[in-house]
């Protein structure tokens, strides 16, 4: 008899969790169950395989329990006797016994139904005689009523005439009142134009907002979904990371920016994270980041290793110490330390010049989901354990602990001056924290579903745009992006242009525009000054990340359909 192994079952459950969106659970099972070591070719497994497998098992039990049936009619009937819970909890003999018992009960019920039918027939005969007598009586009553109706009609005519006259008078009075109300409302609006939050909808856009294909470059080459992308802070280099075990460095020059599909091998460097086969899931590139000088690219992988590459595609360093997938990594501003956060619940600071780990921080009780530098030596980490820790190189304990979220903390970001920390969580809230106090400064609750990511605007003190207001953007599974006044903790506006969860937002370098990418395949570019969508582009897959180049004239986006798009942005 054919049987399924525990490895095969683990893989089916792993795929089910991935397909259902339970990313963290899939990572944990994959890590603990050694999914990366199994020999199963994932490309051979169709979507929904676990559900199909369970359904077929239930169908087999149903057929086996009905082998004793004598006719097709019996088989069809017997299937209705069994419930899914019976099939899972009982063996074949018990199932057959259930069918027999229910057949007996069904036979008894049918006999009772026959007796009831006979009683009904007798009652029907009596009812017919009664109905005939009733009809004769009704005929006499109807004749009498006809005479009464003739009298009533005459009275109705008189009433209608008087009502029409009354309605006409009421309409004249109503028109006069409406004119007066309109004048009153106009006067009221002159006095109540306060700073209420804007609720901005996509209905304010027009066809002219769609970015023409001549201003879109599609980069092809990845063979799996592209989950991360980042522009180099200098030059025209764009990095992308994919589930195909590669990162790629694309050279985007002005001459090629509007030429449609690009797969020219001369314009791309392929950074392979595995030798030979490229469909090995353990080498998925999950995150990447350029150093401040744009000379080195760091990539984090599902195999728990961080790798550092030169701009010409050479692997400079492989950093190995994590015992689980790396979810996030960041360079410090100085460029001497690289910070990584992993599913193994730890964060590690790496000394890049020495090519070794400097310090491992083991404070969280769940996988580390995000990290962000405050300055060159201190940083924040967030986790599935609902906690946020602020750590410092050389210190053995956190220098600050922030507790307040009631769900996984998906993202943490320091403001441009490093004085405020923003966080967002599955508990549908974003929060603002200060090193001066333990409790959050503001609790931002306007979203209706999980908040996936947040970004600070490059405005206010400590930025190139010091005269503009500092705002925080939050992107949620409720399909909206919200902008917050962080000084007062108030909602400034809600950007409602998407139809599916929003996975990424990015401010333009001048702080005047915001790009958002969603699973609805759309990139929307919002003017923060006008409060509306000024450009939009629809691709062929869900969007995982969007980012601007340093000049602010190009936007890159990575898609679930294995492509990267570069949009020209000129207003």
């Amino acid at each position: 008899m054919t049987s399924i192994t525990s490895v095969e079952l683990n893989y089916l459950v792993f795929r089910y969790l991935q397909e259902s969106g339970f990313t963290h659970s899939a990572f944990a099972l994959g890590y603990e169950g050694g999914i990366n070591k199994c020999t199963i070719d994932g490309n051979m497994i169709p979507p929904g395989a676990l559900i199909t497998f369970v359904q077929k098992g239930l169908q087999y039990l149903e057929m086996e329990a009905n082998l004793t049936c004598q006719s097709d009619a019996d088989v069809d009937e017997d299937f209705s006797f069994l419930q899914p819970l019976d099939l899972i909890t009982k063996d074949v003999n018990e199932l057959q016994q259930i069918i027999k018992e229910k057949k007996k009960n069904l036979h008894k019920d049918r006999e009772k139904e026959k007796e009831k039918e006979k009683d009904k027939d007798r009652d029907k005969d009596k009812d017919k005689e009664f109905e005939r007598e009733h009809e004769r009586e009704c005929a006499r009553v109807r004749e009498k009523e006809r005479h009464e109706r003739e009298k009533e009609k005459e009275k109705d005519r008189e009433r209608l005439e008087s009502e029409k006259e009354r309605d006409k008078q009421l309409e004249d009075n109503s028109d006069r009142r409406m004119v007066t109300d309109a004048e009153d409302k106009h006067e009221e609006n002159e006095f109540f134009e306060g700073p209420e939050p804007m609720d901005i909808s996509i209905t304010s856009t027009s066809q002219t907002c769609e970015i023409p294909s001549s201003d879109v470059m599609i980069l092809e080459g990845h063979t799996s979904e592209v989950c991360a992308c980042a522009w180099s802070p200098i030059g025209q280099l764009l990095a992308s990371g994919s589930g195909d075990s590669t990162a790629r460095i694309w050279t985007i020059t002005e001459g090629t920016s509007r030429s449609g599909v690009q797969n020219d091998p001369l314009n791309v460097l392929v950074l392979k994270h595995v030798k030979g086969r490229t469909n090995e899931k353990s080498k998925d590139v999950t995150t990447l980041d350029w150093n401040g000088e744009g000379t080195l690219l760091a990539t984090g992988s599902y195999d728990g290793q961080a790798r550092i590459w030169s701009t010409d595609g050479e692997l400079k360093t492989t950093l190995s110490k994590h015992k689980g997938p790396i979810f996030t990594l960041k360079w410090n501003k100085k460029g001497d330390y690289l910070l990584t956060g992993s599913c193994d619940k730890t964060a590690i600071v790496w000394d890049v010049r020495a090519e070794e780990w400097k310090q491992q921080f083991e404070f969280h009780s769940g996988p580390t989901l995000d990290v962000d530098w405050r300055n060159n030596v201190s940083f924040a980490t967030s986790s599935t354990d609902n906690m946020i820790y602020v750590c410092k190189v050389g210190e053995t304990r956190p220098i600050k602990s922030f507790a307040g979220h009631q769900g996984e903390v998906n993202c943490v970001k320091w403001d441009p001056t490093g004085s405020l920390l923003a966080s967002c969580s599955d508990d549908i809230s974003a929060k603002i924290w200060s090193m001066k106090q333990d409790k959050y400064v503001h609790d931002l609750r306007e979203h209706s579903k999980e908040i996936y990511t947040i970004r600070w605007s490059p405005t206010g003190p400590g930025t190139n745009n010091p005269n503009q207001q500092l705002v925080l953007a939050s992107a949620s599974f409720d399909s909206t992006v919200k902008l917050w006044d962080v000084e007062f903790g108030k909602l400034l506006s809600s950007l409602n242009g998407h139809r599916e969860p929003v996975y990424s937002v990015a401010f333009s370098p001048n702080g005047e525009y915001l790009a958002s990418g969603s699973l609805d395949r759309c990139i929307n570019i919002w003017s923060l000054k006008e409060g509306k969508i000024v450009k939009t582009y629809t691709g062929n897959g869900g969007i995982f990340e969007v980012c601007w180049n340093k000049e602010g004239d190009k936007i890159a986006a990575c898609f679930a359909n294995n492509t990267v798009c570069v949009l020209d942005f000129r207003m």
Side-chain angles (χ1 to χ4, degrees), residues 1-4 8:
M1 176 189 284
T2 303
S3 62
I4 185 169
E8 292 167 336

Side-chain angles (χ1 to χ4, degrees), residues 310-353:
S310 66
T311 54
D312 58 5
E314 179 190 356
L315 178 60
K316 306 287 287 185
T317 311
T318 301
L319 305 172
S320 304
K321 185 170 176 61
H322 281 300
K323 292 181 168 53
I326 293 176
F327 288 158
T328 177
L329 56 72
K330 299 279 170 55
W331 291 89
N332 68 349
K333 189 173 182 180
K334 188 176 177 182
D336 57 342
Y337 289 149
L338 181 68
L339 172 63
T340 56
S342 167
C343 185
D344 66 6
K345 309 176 186 178
T346 74
I348 297 178
V349 171
W350 305 86
D351 185 328
V352 176
R353 293 189 184 91

Side-chain angles (χ1 to χ4, degrees), residues 142-201:
R142 281 196 297 270
E143 184 64 23
K144 187 176 180 181
E145 287 175 347
R146 189 173 64 82
H147 293 295
E148 294 293 328
R149 280 199 301 273
E150 289 298 327
K151 293 178 184 178
E152 287 295 323
K153 279 182 183 178
E154 190 61 35
K155 291 179 181 178
D156 287 342
R157 287 192 199 99
E158 293 174 3
R159 277 199 301 271
L160 282 170
E161 289 298 326
S162 61
E163 285 174 3
K164 281 180 183 177
E165 192 66 33
R166 200 162 54 245
D167 289 344
K168 190 174 182 182
Q169 291 174 355
L170 287 171
E171 283 178 12
D172 292 340
N173 292 336
S174 177
D175 289 341
R176 283 194 292 272
R177 278 197 303 273
M178 286 173 67
V179 171
T180 306
D181 289 345
E183 290 172 352
D184 292 343
K185 281 184 181 176
H186 180 69
E187 289 175 6
E188 285 175 14
N189 288 339
E190 291 178 358
F191 296 102
F192 291 97
E193 293 181 350
E196 286 298 311
M198 293 182 291
D199 197 24
I200 302 164
S201 170

Side-chain angles (χ1 to χ4, degrees), residues 19 24 43 48 66 69 84 91 104 213 254 267 288 295 315 356 367 381 410 457 468 496 524 532:
E19 293 164 4
H24 303 319
N43 295 322
N66 281 279
C69 298
D91 61 25
K104 287 180 184 177
S213 57
E254 200 60 43
N267 291 332
L288 44 79
T295 55
L315 178 60
E356 63 184 15
T381 65
N410 296 315
S457 61
Q468 297 179 46
N496 303 335
N524 290 333
K532 68 177 185 179

Side-chain angles (χ1 to χ4, degrees), residues 280-526:
E280 192 176 331
K281 292 300 289 181
S282 67
K283 299 297 187 348
D284 283 9
V285 179
T286 54
T287 180
L288 44 79
D289 191 40
W290 290 96
N291 68 346
E293 297 176 350
T295 55
L296 296 172
L297 175 70
T299 61
S301 172
Y302 198 86
D303 65 0
Q305 294 184 332
R307 295 171 174 82
I308 299 175
W309 312 78
S310 66
T311 54
D312 58 5
E314 179 190 356
L315 178 60
K316 306 287 287 185
T317 311
T318 301
L319 305 172
S320 304
K321 185 170 176 61
H322 281 300
K323 292 181 168 53
I326 293 176
F327 288 158
T328 177
L329 56 72
K330 299 279 170 55
W331 291 89
N332 68 349
K333 189 173 182 180
K334 188 176 177 182
D336 57 342
Y337 289 149
L338 181 68
L339 172 63
T340 56
S342 167
C343 185
D344 66 6
K345 309 176 186 178
T346 74
I348 297 178
V349 171
W350 305 86
D351 185 328
V352 176
R353 293 189 184 91
E355 299 185 1
E356 63 184 15
W357 64 280
K358 173 81 173 176
Q359 188 174 351
Q360 186 168 27
F361 298 83
E362 304 178 77
F363 306 138
H364 287 294
S365 59
T368 304
L369 298 182
D370 198 22
V371 296
D372 196 46
W373 288 99
R374 185 187 182 206
N375 50 43
N376 283 316
V377 292
S378 65
F379 56 90
T381 65
S382 69
S383 165
T384 61
D385 64 7
N386 308 352
M387 290 295 297
I388 300 167
Y389 293 118
V390 182
C391 308
K392 187 175 181 180
V393 176
E395 298 289 336
T396 57
R397 297 299 306 160
I399 59 176
K400 199 76 176 175
S401 299
F402 292 131
H405 280 296
Q406 303 302 311
E408 298 183 3
V409 184
N410 296 315
C411 185
V412 283
K413 290 286 177 287
W414 291 99
D415 77 344
T417 63
S419 57
L420 295 176
L421 179 69
S423 62
C424 66
S425 166
D426 281 358
D427 67 8
I428 71 173
S429 79
K431 300 188 193 302
I432 308 292
W433 312 83
S434 168
M435 291 295 287
K436 297 175 183 177
Q437 63 186 66
D438 293 330
K439 190 180 179 183
Y440 49 77
V441 179
H442 296 302
D443 188 16
L444 311 178
R445 290 184 175 272
E446 291 289 343
H447 284 291
S448 59
K449 289 186 179 178
E450 299 94 326
I451 305 175
Y452 188 75
T453 191
I454 45 177
R455 289 293 184 276
W456 291 96
S457 61
T459 53
T463 71
N464 294 328
N465 312 291
N467 297 324
Q468 297 179 46
Q469 179 187 13
L470 175 66
V471 298
L472 180 73
S474 57
S476 167
F477 285 2
D478 66 10
S479 308
T480 72
V481 177
K482 298 192 187 296
L483 300 177
W484 306 88
D485 178 328
V486 293
E487 184 179 358
F488 299 105
K490 300 293 184 184
L491 178 66
L492 290 173
S493 58
S494 181
L495 311 181
N496 303 335
H498 290 291
R499 299 177 302 280
E500 296 287 344
V502 184
Y503 268 75
S504 181
V505 286
F507 285 94
S508 62
N510 62 11
E512 294 179 7
Y513 300 97
L514 179 78
S516 57
S518 164
L519 291 189
D520 65 6
R521 305 181 294 125
C522 289
I523 302 170
N524 290 333
I525 304 168
W526 309 80

